[in-house]
Amino acid sequence: MGNVAVPVIAGMGTAQPPGAGQDELWEGFFSKHFSGRTRALAERIFANSGVNRRQAAVNPLLEDVSDWSTERRLRRYQVEALPLGKEAVGRALTAAGLDARDVGLFVVCSCTGYATPGLDILLARDLGMAPDTQRMFVGHMGCYAALPGLGAAGDFVTARQRPALLLCAELTSLHIQPATARLDTQQIVSHALFSDAAVAAVIIPGGRGYALREVTSVTDTSTADHMTWEVTDTGFRMGLSPQVPQVLSAHVRGLVDGLLARHGTRLTEVDGWAVHPGGPRILDVAERELALPPQALAASRATLREHGNCSSPTVLLILDRLLRAAQPPDRVLILAFGPGLTLYAALLDRSA
């Protein structure tokens, strides 16, 4: 292809709604949401979640959505997601020194709300993107959606040599499920972990930033029932098997080793890790299987602690944290996991 410039992440922007402490959320809402035997278990799960603080566009301390219909929740999604997405995109474009009219492809990932016209069209309109800007909406891929989104954006930049923009925006706070006396550990875990955020990244052909070398994945469809996201009459309901860490442990090392080998890189040469914190056990499995040093996942653990699991934006939050560090890494490996069960990985390195 001649001297085709590689895709480079040239700017990022984050936006989050107001936050609340995990203890505050437990005492003020969830301790009353659960009852009996379920309450005692829920209290332990909340305390051991690895989360100290979370953000919520619809804060359960102020507004209980647990009995809302799905229609009502999705109408609220439109109200809350648009300004959050606009803020993240605006910051990313500013960081990259680009105007909205420069964007050739706009990729939006979100599995917590749907509308037509969608966030992609409404934000393109409100931000003044060009009429010929192409758009792609990625839904229901869940926690790993940022990486196929990043891959599509990178492929567009390589093929067209024009900038692309990725936005991941999730409002998990809209999907608190109705209270039930039945013991449902999966619901307790999801209610203890999930949070809201929007993160955008600008990808350009060449230049300064972090070059996207490859996006790769592996899916184990024999475990398709281990992680689900079902549309119900009262919002979207998370299914999360306790077997997920075991499946990840079987695949993560092979995925990472293959990716690094294709780029002539050793695992010890990766000095930045952005691993999706599906929960503390997920990070423990990644650390063990990859034989990582103790501080390798510090940014991932800190993101879980301060922001919870925000679904698709989470690995981008971690990446943003790494890139803003006093000593940014030279080489970053991103790992995210979700329904399928699917594992995605991306390799970045610092460009001149």
Side-chain angles (χ1 to χ4, degrees):
M1 291 179 68
N3 296 320
V4 173
V6 298
V8 171
I9 297 177
M12 297 186 69
T14 70
Q16 290 169 296
Q22 183 81 320
D23 292 344
E24 188 184 1
L25 287 166
W26 172 256
E27 292 296 337
F29 179 79
F30 287 104
S31 64
K32 305 173 189 69
H33 194 68
F34 301 111
S35 58
R37 198 160 54 96
T38 300
R39 186 185 185 280
L41 175 62
E43 188 167 16
R44 287 199 302 277
I45 289 173
F46 268 67
N48 296 319
S49 63
V51 178
N52 288 353
R53 190 168 182 80
R54 290 188 279 164
Q55 289 71 41
V58 184
N59 188 332
L61 298 173
L62 306 174
E63 202 170 0
D64 183 359
V65 305
S66 63
D67 288 322
W68 282 18
S69 68
T70 301
E71 179 185 359
R72 189 175 175 189
R73 296 177 198 236
L74 296 193
R75 289 191 185 281
R76 185 61 174 272
Y77 170 87
Q78 293 174 262
V79 171
E80 303 290 346
L82 199 61
L84 205 62
K86 192 172 182 179
E87 187 179 346
V89 166
R91 287 177 174 168
L93 288 169
T94 299
L98 290 185
D99 185 85
R101 294 188 66 83
D102 299 325
V103 175
L105 173 69
F106 183 28
V107 182
V108 178
C109 304
S110 187
C111 67
T112 48
Y114 293 103
T116 303
L119 275 187
D120 54 334
I121 295 176
L122 300 179
L123 284 170
R125 176 198 69 191
D126 291 354
L127 291 160
M129 291 184 189
D132 66 350
T133 299
Q134 295 183 36
R135 292 169 290 97
M136 183 170 75
F137 187 90
V138 179
H140 263 71
M141 276 187 151
C143 294
Y144 65 82
L147 293 185
L150 194 60
D155 289 347
F156 174 90
V157 170
T158 300
R160 307 293 179 85
Q161 294 292 286
R162 289 189 64 195
L165 173 65
L166 168 68
L167 170 67
C168 294
E170 303 289 9
L171 302 182
T172 67
S173 62
L174 282 170
H175 297 289
I176 294 173
Q177 291 297 289
T180 173
R182 183 172 60 87
L183 183 62
D184 189 341
T185 306
Q186 296 184 42
Q187 283 311 300
I188 297 170
V189 169
S190 63
H191 284 151
L193 289 173
F194 282 94
S195 184
D196 298 355
V199 185
V202 173
I203 302 96
I204 62 171
R208 294 178 63 85
Y210 281 77
L212 177 61
R213 296 301 175 187
E214 186 184 340
V215 175
T216 186
S217 71
V218 62
T219 300
D220 183 348
T221 54
S222 70
T223 61
D225 61 341
H226 282 22
M227 197 179 292
T228 57
W229 189 229
E230 297 175 338
V231 179
T232 76
D233 290 340
T234 51
F236 301 167
R237 181 182 177 85
M238 184 80 194
L240 199 59
S241 167
Q243 304 302 313
V244 168
Q246 288 176 236
V247 180
L248 297 182
S249 69
H251 296 288
V252 68
R253 186 62 189 250
L255 179 68
V256 169
D257 283 349
L259 172 59
L260 294 177
R262 288 192 293 276
H263 296 271
T265 302
R266 294 189 303 273
L267 199 142
T268 52
E269 293 176 299
V270 176
D271 57 344
W273 290 90
V275 178
H276 177 71
R281 286 179 63 206
I282 300 294
L283 295 178
D284 291 344
V285 163
E287 186 176 78
R288 184 188 72 233
E289 295 298 328
L290 298 171
L292 298 176
Q295 285 302 304
L297 298 186
S300 300
R301 294 188 195 281
T303 300
L304 177 64
R305 189 166 58 247
E306 296 169 23
H307 304 295
N309 177 349
C310 307
S311 190
S312 66
T314 318
V315 287
L316 298 181
L317 279 176
I318 301 166
L319 178 63
D320 181 64
R321 180 185 287 265
L322 289 170
L323 304 193
R324 287 188 292 104
Q327 289 187 299
D330 290 319
R331 189 172 281 110
V332 178
L333 203 146
I334 307 173
L335 281 167
F337 325 105
L341 275 171
T342 303
L343 293 78
Y344 255 87
L347 182 63
L348 312 174
D349 60 44
R350 204 202 298 236
S351 62

